[in-house]
Amino acid sequence: QVQLVESGGGSVQAGGSLRLSCAASGYTATRYCMAWFRQAPGKEREWVASINLPGSTRYADSVKGRFTISKDNAKNTLYLQMNALKPEDTAIYYCAADSRSGGACVTTRYENFVYRGQGTQVTVSS
């Protein structure tokens, strides 16, 4: 069983930066495909970024060039560095791990990720 706990959320002005962390316990979750999702008020949850076992990354177009997903295998922790934040980035951010794909990232559907955190709030003011 893998537990994921997000941290690092908060309030920031537009143009600012935040770094989210997702600490995994119970298994070496960084050996899985890991991803960040977000859900803004009144909107559906959306995929933000993924990182596979070898460390290859993918990003949603809305965050490409501004966000960076990374992981520290020794710390069993996933990160999301968010720069040049915009008010439309305001959302609850969730980390997730897919244990069924052998470390490959084959989906961006939240429902397909077996392990999920409780989320951390990010608020960006204009």
Side-chain angles (χ1 to χ4, degrees):
Q1 187 75 11
V2 174
Q3 291 185 325
L4 303 174
V5 178
E6 302 94 336
S7 62
S11 297
V12 64
Q13 289 191 331
S17 299
L18 284 173
R19 189 176 82 152
L20 305 183
S21 299
C22 172
S25 62
Y27 192 76
T28 308
T30 51
R31 294 179 62 84
Y32 300 147
C33 169
M34 298 195 75
W36 288 97
F37 293 82
R38 66 185 181 185
Q39 187 167 19
K43 295 187 177 181
E44 293 187 352
R45 187 174 281 123
E46 64 175 350
W47 168 77
V48 174
S50 296
I51 185 167
N52 66 9
L53 174 59
S56 296
T57 59
R58 292 174 58 202
Y59 298 91
D61 288 343
S62 59
V63 306
K64 198 173 295 183
R66 300 188 298 121
F67 290 12
T68 302
I69 188 172
S70 63
K71 60 181 178 176
D72 185 327
N73 292 332
K75 295 183 178 180
N76 206 16
T77 300
L78 178 73
Y79 301 100
L80 185 68
Q81 178 66 44
M82 305 185 295
N83 298 329
L85 282 161
K86 305 175 181 179
E88 51 264 43
D89 294 319
T90 295
I92 299 175
Y93 284 72
Y94 302 88
C95 69
D98 181 2
S99 62
R100 300 178 295 184
S101 62
C105 290
V106 299
T107 180
T108 58
R109 295 187 70 243
Y110 184 73
E111 293 73 17
N112 289 358
F113 283 75
V114 176
Y115 302 110
R116 310 163 193 170
Q118 294 299 306
T120 186
Q121 176 71 48
V122 172
T123 302
V124 184
S125 58
S126 57

